[in-house]
Amino acid sequence: MKYNVLIVDDEALARKLLSAYVEKDERLALVGMCATASEAFAAIRNNHVDILLLDIHLPDTNGLDLARTCKNIPVIIFTTAYSEHALESYSLDATDYLLKPISPERFKTAIEKGIRRFSQETATVPAAEPVAEPVEFEDYMMVKADYKLNRINFNELKYIEGQHEYVTFHLKERKITALYSLKKLEEQLPEKNFMRVHKSYIVNLNYVTQSDTSNVLLDDISIPIGGSYKDIVKSRLK
């Protein structure tokens, strides 16, 4: 079996060194190298990743925050020049914490540990049963965020804001930010109540109090209407 490895590090030399280590190990297959968290999110969406080699200091986010969203990756190994984050990394259930410069021996030890962990976890997974069709909830949805499942009642959801790979659910009394695709949510939400008005916004029609050619108003919140959405918004709100 080959274990798919993704490298996330903003330093070109570090990526080059780690990729050389990966390529020398016949058990590993390099599926990508990323310099930012945004690139990493895209790579994780498009590839099956077994082992994530993750730098902590990235230009667009903290690697620890990225790790919190990667709950489906069995093995996360941090690679960093700073030792002060070691304790927090283990609280995230990281497999190992490699301090730069990383020697071939230390890299091999971390990979061995990761493969053992991967084998133990997959060995405890029961045989898959036929998957039932998903239940279509009429008035709520469940959203994973901050290690919890959150129930979002549609009648409390005012609008959803897209922010790169994240979305923020704006409810009447709170906000929830999670790693979701706005396009997927547009397909999931009940069409009779929700409408995409902009590449970055979906609104609950029940909260729309006013509209013009450029914006929809949800009480005191103004949401822009994207150029390609103007005709459908005009038609729906007529």
Side-chain angles (χ1 to χ4, degrees), residues 54-204:
L54 177 60
D55 189 13
I56 288 181
H57 292 275
L58 298 170
D60 52 349
T61 193
N62 185 296
L64 296 167
D65 292 333
L66 172 58
R68 290 186 180 96
T69 70
C70 298
K71 305 175 188 69
N72 60 329
I73 297 180
V75 176
I76 297 178
I77 298 172
F78 285 105
T79 61
T80 180
Y82 305 92
S83 61
E84 63 264 28
H85 298 293
L87 186 60
E88 188 175 359
S89 75
Y90 286 112
S91 74
L92 294 172
D93 205 23
T95 300
D96 211 336
Y97 189 96
L98 300 179
L99 280 175
K100 299 175 181 177
I102 302 166
S103 69
E105 295 77 15
R106 186 67 184 88
F107 178 83
K108 183 178 180 181
T109 299
I111 292 298
E112 295 283 359
K113 190 187 297 185
I115 290 175
R116 284 197 303 272
R117 176 171 183 167
F118 185 93
S119 300
Q120 289 167 358
E121 290 191 0
T122 54
T124 59
V125 176
E129 296 181 1
V131 178
E133 288 296 316
V135 178
E136 294 291 337
F137 298 114
E138 290 187 1
D139 56 358
Y140 72 93
M141 67 187 301
M142 302 301 294
V143 169
K144 289 182 181 178
D146 297 327
Y147 300 97
K148 295 177 289 188
L149 271 176
N150 300 269
R151 174 170 170 151
I152 293 182
N153 294 320
F154 293 147
N155 62 358
E156 296 177 0
L157 177 58
K158 300 179 75 172
Y159 67 99
I160 305 172
E161 179 182 6
Q163 303 154 319
H164 301 293
E165 280 74 23
Y166 289 93
V167 299
T168 297
F169 299 86
H170 293 264
L171 293 96
K172 291 200 306 188
E173 305 293 336
R174 59 181 176 143
K175 294 192 294 185
I176 297 174
T177 299
L179 184 63
Y180 277 90
S181 158
L182 205 63
K183 180 174 175 56
K184 293 283 187 185
L185 287 169
E186 183 183 10
E187 295 169 358
Q188 278 184 279
L189 291 164
E191 187 179 355
K192 65 178 181 178
N193 295 327
F194 291 89
M195 176 173 61
R196 184 88 171 259
V197 299
H198 186 277
K199 66 178 183 179
S200 300
Y201 292 96
I202 295 173
V203 302
N204 186 336

